[in-house]
Amino acid sequence: MTVSVLVPSSLSREAEDKREATRKLGYVARAATIFRADRLIVYPDPGGDDGRFGDGFVETVLRYAATPPYLRKEAWGKRDELEAVGVLPPLRAPSQTGSESNGSGSTRQGIVTEVGPEGRVRVNCGLQHPISLNTPPGMEVGEGERVTVRISSRRPVRAKLVDESPPGFAVERTDLPAALGREDAGVRIAASRYGEPLTVGRLETLAGRVERDGMTVAFGAPERGLPPILGIDQVAIEAAYGDTEGDANVEPSDLRTETGFDLWLNTVPNQGSTVVRTEEALFATLAPLSLRA
């Protein structure tokens, strides 16, 4: 089961400055960590980007946030997009804090600092010094690549390189159709106030599908939700889910064909604020969808 969370490149469009924008992205990373997302995908929204913080700002800050603290200096150095990363809330993921390092077979993320002969590499994985490890058969790594290290003991150091994805969530940049078309996309959900209200009964049937197949959940930007990003009339969405007397011929299957989503879902059906911020919507949406049948 794979969980993918999609956010637009225009996510920081309403922030007054880089500090506020960075803090907002920090809570997006927190939500991805808390609810064990496997991928946090930034999809392009050319119509909503204002370019104030530079191209790729959202993706860069999220990638930095997903990097364990012990690797950030080496992995990132100094970049304009990262001027305000001091306000990022800590993710406190076990693989980043090292709180599992005393357990047998715990894993940590590392960076290859040197590739030597006979399949040996030096890896910085947050220990006192980089360690020399053998590369598993069939695995090829290059200098600067991020890898997974399984540590069984710190004193003395006993570790090995494993051919697995680094722990934590991965940050990618992919357009919406490609993200929704992945083989492991699972249940493809568009989070929108115009979708079907999430009820206890609806969640009961949906939880089983998500637990079995995984899910891909997409969110819009501040003051620019998924309908305008996709060029879809919100009235058509409301009509498909019975909330308006609009076009009676609109069916959920029509939206599925047109947008690629299996379901448009309103996870805050009785919201008390006129606007639910994207980072708030992540928590409100991923919390119930993480419940198991």
Side-chain angles (χ1 to χ4, degrees):
M1 185 193 77
T2 300
V3 175
S4 298
V5 176
L6 278 58
V7 295
S9 58
S10 55
L11 187 58
S12 60
R13 68 194 304 264
E14 96 293 7
E16 293 183 0
D17 53 36
K18 196 173 292 185
R19 183 182 180 88
E20 181 184 344
T22 301
R23 190 190 305 276
K24 178 186 187 76
L25 295 174
Y27 286 111
V28 170
R30 282 281 296 171
T33 300
I34 290 170
F35 298 107
R36 295 183 176 273
D38 298 288
R39 288 188 291 256
L40 185 52
I41 297 174
V42 180
Y43 65 86
D45 175 23
D49 286 334
D50 56 19
R52 282 182 300 152
F53 306 130
D55 182 46
F57 173 78
V58 169
E59 180 186 1
T60 298
V61 174
L62 290 176
R63 285 185 183 274
Y64 179 91
T67 303
Y70 55 81
L71 294 179
R72 286 175 176 173
K73 183 176 181 180
E74 179 172 338
W76 293 99
K78 292 185 178 181
R79 299 181 57 162
D80 291 342
E81 301 98 316
L82 304 177
E83 288 177 0
V85 292
V87 304
L88 286 173
L91 300 188
R92 303 293 295 171
S95 62
Q96 294 191 352
T97 63
S99 61
E100 293 181 347
S101 59
N102 293 326
S104 176
S106 62
T107 57
R108 289 166 70 87
Q109 189 177 138
I111 294 180
V112 176
T113 60
E114 182 182 345
V115 178
E118 300 179 354
R120 293 193 67 83
V121 295
R122 291 185 67 80
V123 180
N124 176 4
C125 57
L127 301 181
Q128 188 172 4
H129 302 289
I131 56 178
S132 179
L133 300 170
N134 285 316
T135 304
M139 181 179 176
E140 296 183 3
V141 298
E143 188 173 327
E145 187 172 341
R146 300 192 191 192
V147 293
T148 301
V149 177
R150 190 178 303 280
I151 299 176
S152 55
S153 171
R154 274 194 166 191
R155 295 182 181 178
V157 174
R158 293 190 179 94
K160 64 179 181 179
L161 200 62
V162 291
D163 193 2
E164 300 174 1
S165 298
F169 62 86
V171 179
E172 303 175 6
R173 185 179 180 92
T174 309
D175 61 27
L176 270 174
L180 296 176
R182 301 179 81 137
E183 290 186 1
D184 61 352
V187 185
R188 298 164 297 181
I189 300 170
S192 172
R193 65 182 300 177
Y194 304 111
E196 174 187 355
L198 181 61
T199 62
V200 173
R202 187 69 180 91
L203 181 59
E204 186 174 358
T205 60
L206 187 57
R209 292 179 61 194
V210 170
E211 185 174 7
R212 182 184 68 247
D213 301 330
M215 64 180 177
T216 295
V217 189
F219 298 86
E223 300 179 359
R224 183 175 166 80
L226 281 169
I229 289 176
L230 292 170
I232 303 295
D233 189 345
Q234 68 187 50
V235 175
I237 301 171
E238 293 172 319
Y241 292 104
D243 287 341
T244 181
E245 296 180 358
D247 188 350
N249 295 322
V250 178
E251 298 289 340
S253 58
D254 298 329
L255 288 178
R256 188 178 304 117
T257 300
E258 186 174 358
T259 67
F261 289 102
D262 299 311
L263 176 67
W264 286 72
L265 196 63
N266 178 5
T267 54
V268 193
N270 192 31
Q271 65 187 64
S273 173
T274 56
V275 175
V276 176
R277 296 173 179 174
T278 305
E279 64 272 28
E280 296 169 337
L282 260 75
F283 283 96
T285 301
L286 297 178
L289 295 179
S290 296
L291 297 175
R292 294 295 172 252

